[in-house]
Amino acid sequence: MTQGPPTHISALLTRVGRHRGHLILALVSIAICVAVMIGWKLGLEAVVRLTPTLSPMQFNTALALLLVGLGAVAGSLRYRLVAGLLAGLGAGIAGLNLVEIATGFGL
């Protein structure tokens, strides 16, 4: 049997190498964050809050985690500069959220 040209997914997995688990977890995190952000935009309470007793995930939190997840994917693909920028941006949004909560001042 002859092998055909590599697909995009096989090339991606080859580039990722031993960090496949890291990549899968980052993609799951991204999917959850995207679902929460869509839930906020469409007003779907069940997506933003898993049970009535839990606090909903805020949009800014989902955005920050999305950026960190994208940075993790970039890091898995060995794009270190992009990974650092995305993770830093996500951490910056998370830091601003903390300042907003601590001071009570809306940013």
Side-chain angles (χ1 to χ4, degrees), residues 27 30 33-34 36 53 56 71 76 80 90 102:
L27 291 173
I30 290 169
C33 291
V34 167
V36 168
T53 59
S76 293
R80 294 178 188 223

Side-chain angles (χ1 to χ4, degrees), residues 77-89:
L77 297 174
R78 299 186 195 117
Y79 295 110
R80 294 178 188 223
L81 179 63
V82 174
L85 290 173
L86 287 170
L89 188 58

Side-chain angles (χ1 to χ4, degrees), residues 10-98:
S10 67
L12 174 72
L13 291 177
T14 301
R15 185 172 174 102
V16 170
R18 61 186 174 97
H19 300 288
R20 287 184 186 152
H22 184 261
L23 178 66
I24 290 169
L25 289 175
L27 291 173
V28 168
S29 172
I30 290 169
I32 291 170
C33 291
V34 167
V36 168
M37 293 168 75
I38 290 171
W40 270 107
K41 290 299 179 184
L42 297 178
L44 303 172
E45 184 73 21
V47 177
V48 209
R49 181 190 311 254
L50 294 178
T51 65
T53 59
L54 294 176
S55 298
M57 180 186 282
Q58 297 301 313
F59 189 88
N60 290 346
T61 304
L63 178 62
L65 289 175
L66 173 70
L67 291 171
V68 171
L70 290 172
V73 169
S76 293
L77 297 174
R78 299 186 195 117
Y79 295 110
R80 294 178 188 223
L81 179 63
V82 174
L85 290 173
L86 287 170
L89 188 58
I93 291 173
L96 288 173
N97 284 339
L98 286 174

Side-chain angles (χ1 to χ4, degrees), residues 60 92-107:
N60 290 346
I93 291 173
L96 288 173
N97 284 339
L98 286 174
V99 168
E100 188 176 35
I101 292 168
T103 62
F105 181 72
L107 298 177

